[in-house]
Amino acid sequence: SQTIHQWPATLVQPVGSPLSLECTVEGTSNPNLYWYRQAAGRGLQLLFYSVGIGQISSEVPQNLSASRPQDRQFILSSKKLLLSDSGFYLCAWSGTTSNQPQHFGDGTRLSIL
Amino acid sequence: QKEVEQNSGPLSVPEGAIASLNCTYSDRGSQSFFWYRQYSGKSPELIMSIYSNGDKEDGRFTAQLNKASQYVSLLIRDSQPSDSATYLCAAYNYGQNFVFGPGTRLSVLP
């Protein structure tokens, strides 16, 4: 069966510091991968998605970036965090054929001080 | 812009009652629809998928889809306090991205 791992679970960072969140998927090949952010009490905001290694599409211009160095690895990064980057970051994967849902990791709660 | 709309709630129902959650979508080309449950502080968990018009039942959950009206609903029978959560509706048009609604907060009162 497929599993998705996301870490760390919680992160507290000062403004201006760098960020690296990692997500890996097991049990499937060539998944579509997604990064979402969810502010407290709000809906899901799609940040990036990837359909293959090195292929990244950005939905929202901001100081975040994403990379997919391996088929089942998706990384969210920032060189300098802003206060507004606080939130709940979720990685998700889906199959590439039609009608397949997204499955989410446990998320990372990021607090910027 | 493609949108999925849901009442934000909170929707409060007594224990044992039927909870009815509704969702409308703007992209008429959407082919797949999903309901997720999200407990406070946790990630969304898939509970139902529906692809064809009509009803689909899974245990206490029934999803209903009406593509002509661009309407999806989720019924929860015999609601339990453990069903208290935010329910997210998502629509998917193949080749494009999933579109999630803002979620409806459900509170089941013991």
Side-chain angles (χ1 to χ4, degrees), chain A residues 20-95:
Chain A
S20 180
L21 302 180
E22 190 163 340
C23 171
T24 59
V25 180
E26 296 178 356
T28 187
S29 296
N30 195 32
N32 292 333
L33 297 172
Y34 308 83
W35 278 112
Y36 290 90
R37 179 170 60 201
Q38 188 176 39
R42 306 293 295 273
L44 298 173
Q45 178 188 27
L46 179 62
L47 302 175
F48 300 95
Y49 68 94
S50 172
V51 299
I53 295 174
Q55 301 178 62
I56 308 295
S57 296
S58 173
E59 287 293 301
V60 183
Q62 54 209 322
N63 68 317
L64 299 173
S65 62
S67 62
R68 185 170 177 173
Q70 300 180 46
D71 180 44
R72 291 169 288 176
Q73 183 185 28
F74 205 23
I75 298 172
L76 182 68
S77 304
S78 175
K79 292 182 180 178
K80 278 189 175 182
L81 286 167
L82 307 172
L83 280 174
S84 58
D85 291 325
S86 292
F88 191 39
Y89 287 81
L90 291 157
C91 181
W93 76 272
S94 71

Side-chain angles (χ1 to χ4, degrees), chain B residues 5-73:
Chain B
E5 296 185 351
Q6 300 179 253
N7 288 328
S8 61
L11 172 66
S12 295
V13 300
E15 185 174 354
I18 296 176
S20 178
L21 305 165
N22 304 317
C23 165
T24 59
Y25 58 95
S26 64
D27 181 5
R28 192 168 283 279
S30 297
Q31 301 152 333
S32 307
F33 305 88
F34 308 98
W35 283 99
Y36 290 83
R37 177 176 61 199
Q38 186 175 23
Y39 291 115
S40 181
K42 302 296 185 181
S43 63
E45 171 193 13
L46 178 70
I47 54 173
M48 288 287 285
S49 305
I50 187 165
Y51 311 109
S52 305
N53 281 329
D55 295 359
K56 179 181 177 183
E57 187 173 318
D58 183 0
R60 295 186 296 113
F61 299 101
T62 298
Q64 300 173 318
L65 173 60
N66 183 328
K67 290 186 177 180
S69 301
Q70 296 175 245
Y71 176 88
V72 191
S73 67

Side-chain angles (χ1 to χ4, degrees), chain A residues 38 42-44, chain B residues 3-6 23-24 34 86-91 98-104:
Chain A
Q38 188 176 39
R42 306 293 295 273
L44 298 173
Chain B
E3 292 183 335
V4 172
E5 296 185 351
Q6 300 179 253
C23 165
T24 59
F34 308 98
T86 296
Y87 289 80
L88 305 175
C89 173
F98 287 70
V99 181
F100 283 86
T104 297

